[in-house]
Amino acid sequence: HENDVRPMGRTATGVRGIKIANEDRLISLISIQPDEAEMQVLIGTQRGFGKRTPVQDFPVQKRGGQGVIAIQTSGRNGEVVGAVLVSDEDETMLITDQGTLVRTQVKDISSMGRNTQGVTLIRLGENEQLTEIEAVQSLSGDEEDDDQDQQPAED
């Protein structure tokens, strides 16, 4: 919680937020607002696997915590490349190191618990890896509005 960190001056070095083991690294930082408690975290791995997990499945920790497992990594799915906050109405953009872009609806991705390997998000070619995952707000409602704006006015 924000209240667990005391205010400091500009030159202060800060306080420990999380303990990270030598072999671990920070991939994503997601700040959850009270009105976003029903949202989900979409996680993607190098080999194109991923899943959605409800925010409630991630426990709140104190400063200096070591975190929790968000997805099982293995030779099958590779390392985690990203995690983003999404809702069922959103879409996601999957980007590979070969320049492939795939846009898909979040609601079509399976929702699973934290300690699972996930499902296929994108089929990759040989020597291709998923490098980025981003949430995109759906434009389906906006396209209808654009069509209405382009119709000639009636006299």
Side-chain angles (χ1 to χ4, degrees):
H1 288 284
E2 182 179 350
N3 294 335
D4 291 343
V5 180
R6 66 185 178 277
M8 296 180 189
R10 183 175 55 86
T11 59
T13 58
V15 296
R16 179 183 302 273
I18 185 172
K19 286 184 184 176
I20 299 178
N22 289 338
E23 66 276 3
D24 292 339
R25 57 194 173 105
L26 180 66
I27 299 295
S28 181
L29 174 67
I30 299 173
S31 176
I32 308 295
Q33 302 302 317
D35 61 335
E36 297 174 328
E38 297 299 317
M39 296 190 71
Q40 296 182 325
V41 178
L42 176 61
I43 303 162
T45 64
Q46 285 177 328
R47 299 219 172 137
F49 292 91
K51 64 179 178 171
R52 292 182 297 151
T53 302
V55 168
Q56 302 91 317
D57 286 3
F58 294 91
V60 174
Q61 296 189 342
K62 299 283 186 188
R63 291 189 309 110
Q66 293 185 6
V68 295
I69 294 172
I71 189 171
Q72 286 290 329
T73 56
S74 64
R76 170 189 173 251
N77 42 335
E79 295 182 14
V80 175
V81 296
V84 293
L85 191 64
V86 295
S87 69
D88 285 342
E89 294 79 35
D90 291 336
E91 294 178 352
T92 184
M93 185 71 73
L94 306 169
I95 307 165
T96 72
D97 60 352
Q98 302 294 313
T100 303
L101 295 155
V102 173
R103 186 172 179 163
T104 187
Q105 294 185 358
V106 168
K107 66 182 177 185
D108 294 339
I109 300 170
S110 297
S111 182
M112 303 175 164
R114 287 186 303 105
N115 202 8
T116 59
Q117 290 191 29
V119 297
T120 302
L121 295 178
I122 182 174
R123 296 203 188 280
L124 301 171
E126 194 172 322
N127 299 323
E128 188 174 24
Q129 292 184 345
L130 183 65
T131 57
E132 186 81 25
I133 183 169
E134 287 295 330
V136 179
Q137 290 184 348
S138 176
L139 298 175
S140 60
D142 294 341
E143 291 172 1
E144 293 173 7
D145 293 342
D146 290 344
D147 291 343
Q148 291 175 359
D149 292 343
Q150 294 175 359
Q151 294 177 358
E154 294 180 20
D155 291 323

